[in-house]
Amino acid sequence: MDAVTYELIKKSTETDARLGILHTPHGDIETPVFMPVGTQASVKTMTPEELKEIGAKIILSNTYHLYIRPGERIIEKAGGLHKFMHWDRAILTDSGGYQVFSLSNLRDIKEEGVTFKSHLDGSKHFFTPEKAVQIQNSLGADIIMCFDECLPYPCDKDYASLALKRTIRWAKRCKDTHKNIEKQSLFGIIQGGMYKDLRLQSVNEMTDMDFPGYSIGGLSIGEPKKIMYEVLDWITPVMPQNKPRYLMGVGSPDCLIEGAIRGIDMFDCVLPTRIARNGTVFTSHGKLVVRNAPYAEDFRPLDEECDCYACRNYSRAYIRHLFKANEILAARLATYHNIYFLVNLMKKIRKSIKGGTLLKLRDEFYLKYGYNKEDDE
Amino acid sequence: MDAVTYELIKKSTETDARLGILHTPHGDIETPVFMPVGTQASVKTMTPEELKEIGAKIILSNTYHLYIRPGERIIEKAGGLHKFMHWDRAILTDSGGYQVFSLSNLRDIKEEGVTFKSHLDGSKHFFTPEKAVQIQNSLGADIIMCFDECLPYPCDKDYASLALKRTIRWAKRCKDTHKNIEKQSLFGIIQGGMYKDLRLQSVNEMTDMDFPGYSIGGLSIGEPKKIMYEVLDWITPVMPQNKPRYLMGVGSPDCLIEGAIRGIDMFDCVLPTRIARNGTVFTSHGKLVVRNAPYAEDFRPLDEECDCYACRNYSRAYIRHLFKANEILAARLATYHNIYFLVNLMKKIRKSIKGGTLLKLRDEFYLKYGYNKEDDE
């Protein structure tokens, strides 16, 4: 039996949205779910206890980063990633594919694998599908990812097709390598650029391999949002109903709603944590740059409709002061709030799927949040 | 009645140590006590809840810094410093004197006050004793300090005498200015450099003014520790028994013990928080630079004898990784541990005063901690 299984609770009639439960070795997770990102075995600024308090059930960590530093051997020696970072809920690791293609400046792609240089010290490394899985086996996350080739945007069709076929061959090698199926589930990744036939081909060939879950890669990489939504509209209807669908790297509030509407079950993104550290927070009425001057004497909470720890106890004026004074607590409070905001949004999304009011939620959100189409692109 | 009063619980017979309770508008505080420093209205990296969990009963904040940024008017508008920073236990603010003399590069000392340039933007400011008290009245801390002239080390006797007399005249002006005595208590500051007669003169003239408490300034400014201890040996025996004595800027573990032995009731220092952010932690066996390579695969806690949150849940290997990876959680965990270590040391000191075993505690500490006399100088 697979370590991770998906239980479909309810299929929306008004949209393609699904309500489900992801059963993992480290607990059950109601879906659709947002996964905060802990790139280097830490969700930036946060403790695991705070993430639990917020309601996070699963976090993502990055294989590439942990391989580079501290190295998967140390984490394995520590008893695995859960124990190393003191997190006893579920973890998902990516395969390193995305980072190899986005962070490393010198890389050489061959059928066997990819040679790349570390973004830290320029040292040379060679990743293969086998190695990506072995590293993830050492890390021990509940959900692990196939090693894939990530395309730039835009990308011509010939190359997209070539890369897609290689990604499928690599997925087979990943599956053959992965031995730890009772503790960790290996997900396949749907690629194919912004080309409908390639995306459909990818869905077909990946689902033929019968992975316990599928992620959708190669989106949110600079393309307009409407193109991302179009790609989702092509592929989620033909993806298996009994497997979870994970849209990689997506996390702006509007995209979470639009993704859920299109049948996505899992999301991850550094957006809430990254913008928090720059002094930007989500609010019910749109984004707010709390470090800006207008908030110097604004004694209201970050978001007047939020009941998170930061909003219950601190004013915009105080948090702005902390940002101006370079106090670490600034980043902590903004991060706490932003993750809370998204986790809470996912709760509202699940409630709306249950009640059949997801489209209403979307309309209200756009009206109130003051959505700008180009805002997060 | 003074806002803050000192209740002597027990006078040690083996040393000059005292066990007491400081009654403040924001709670009672067992003394001797260590006060973590929240320079800019935040104890760096920490939330108030964490400080409470650790057992901190009073923190210090800096008038100079808050005057410069965000400005005392904003804090007053917010309802005072307690409310601004969400801390409902006691606060002590210094007068800004030390910072004016140590941080500001261009200053001009006159009888009326001191002109100095902001360390942030070079803007010119003028502090008088009256202004220092008015700012502290706006901030609203439980304990506030007289504006004093801080000497460098070494300093010739003629100047030390001149500065001391001015500090005494300034103290009178501070006392005359301070109107808020039922909510805030103004402490006098003993100066006089490293000269016995000047220190004794300072004690006499300050105690004649009958402040509700006295701090000892001008120590821990670069002089050898034995000189600091000698100064304390001169003055604490002649200080009033019914008033608290606060040794400013002192916070290394050995100095806390030696200070308590000499009858000090209150301490503050940035040491635990500052070294934490650089990757250094206190342990029962001396300081440990956890960011160093030997800890890469050390899965023991920071201090095997510590039961703080950081030591219960994380390894040296993990915390080292966080430091190497520039993760904010590194500074959080090290800071939490270091403050806990000192708060816990003060508990042991109080217990030893109660049991008449403080000298034994000192001997055991030096033996185990591996004290190096020059270590913290």
Side-chain angles (χ1 to χ4, degrees), chain A residues 39-50 65-66 69-70 73-75 77-78 83-86 277 296-297 299 309 313-315 317-322 324-329 331-333, chain B residues 39-50 65-66 69-70 73-75 77-78 83-86 277 296-297 299 309 313-315 317-322 324-329 331-333:
Chain A
T39 300
Q40 305 183 110
S42 168
V43 175
K44 286 191 190 304
T45 83
M46 305 287 283
T47 62
E49 284 77 8
E50 286 161 350
H65 288 87
L66 296 177
R69 184 174 57 195
R73 286 291 147 228
I74 283 182
I75 294 176
K77 267 192 176 177
K83 198 168 170 210
F84 184 60
M85 68 180 292
H86 172 53
R277 293 195 305 284
E297 303 193 21
F299 299 108
Y309 168 75
N313 298 305
Y314 304 92
S315 65
Y318 179 65
I319 295 171
R320 177 192 187 253
H321 162 65
L322 294 179
K324 298 302 284 183
N326 295 313
E327 287 286 349
I328 282 175
L329 185 57
R332 287 186 60 181
L333 295 177
Chain B
T39 299
Q40 304 183 111
S42 169
V43 175
K44 288 193 190 300
T45 81
M46 306 285 283
T47 61
E49 284 76 9
E50 286 161 351
H65 288 88
L66 296 177
R69 183 175 59 197
R73 286 293 145 228
I74 283 180
I75 294 176
K77 266 192 176 175
K83 198 168 170 207
F84 185 59
M85 68 180 291
H86 173 52
R277 294 195 303 284
E297 302 194 21
F299 299 109
Y309 168 74
N313 298 305
Y314 304 92
S315 66
Y318 179 64
I319 295 173
R320 176 189 188 255
H321 162 65
L322 294 179
K324 298 303 284 183
N326 294 315
E327 287 287 348
I328 282 175
L329 186 57
R332 286 186 60 181
L333 296 177

Side-chain angles (χ1 to χ4, degrees), chain A residues 20 122 177 200 209 230 234 256 280 291 344 347 366:
Chain A
T177 306
L200 293 178
M209 280 187 259
E230 199 179 3
W234 295 334
L256 295 179
T280 300
R291 66 176 307 138
N344 205 42
K347 264 189 211 162
Y366 281 148

Side-chain angles (χ1 to χ4, degrees), chain A residues 23 108 323 376:
Chain A
H23 301 281
D108 179 29
F323 271 111
D376 300 305

Side-chain angles (χ1 to χ4, degrees), chain A residues 93-211:
Chain A
T93 47
D94 64 4
S95 65
Y98 182 76
Q99 281 73 28
V100 162
F101 288 92
S102 65
L103 285 182
S104 171
N105 45 3
L106 210 147
R107 54 172 197 271
D108 179 29
I109 310 163
K110 295 224 160 59
E111 183 63 23
E112 175 60 14
V114 184
T115 305
F116 62 94
K117 282 194 172 178
S118 157
H119 72 296
L120 284 185
D121 62 4
S123 57
K124 226 174 178 180
H125 301 265
F126 184 57
F127 256 34
T128 60
E130 290 77 12
K131 187 162 180 181
V133 168
Q134 283 155 3
I135 296 170
Q136 291 183 89
N137 284 162
S138 295
L139 297 175
D142 303 81
I143 300 172
I144 68 176
M145 289 290 144
C146 285
F147 189 66
D148 59 336
E149 179 170 350
C150 297
L151 301 174
Y153 175 82
C155 174
D156 73 64
K157 193 170 179 180
D158 285 349
Y159 191 82
S161 174
L162 197 138
L164 166 64
K165 284 172 193 154
R166 183 155 46 208
T167 288
I168 289 164
R169 290 191 298 272
W170 283 358
K172 288 196 172 79
R173 287 165 57 189
C174 286
K175 207 182 171 199
D176 290 342
T177 306
H178 179 48
K179 299 296 175 208
N180 202 10
I181 62 166
E182 278 168 30
K183 288 190 173 172
Q184 302 180 282
S185 276
L186 175 69
F187 280 23
I189 304 184
I190 311 294
Q191 289 284 359
M194 310 303 167
Y195 303 99
K196 186 171 183 178
D197 52 343
L198 296 185
R199 284 285 178 178
L200 293 178
Q201 179 190 347
S202 181
V203 172
N204 279 335
E205 303 211 29
M206 282 291 169
T207 52
D208 278 352
M209 280 187 259
D210 195 27
F211 286 101

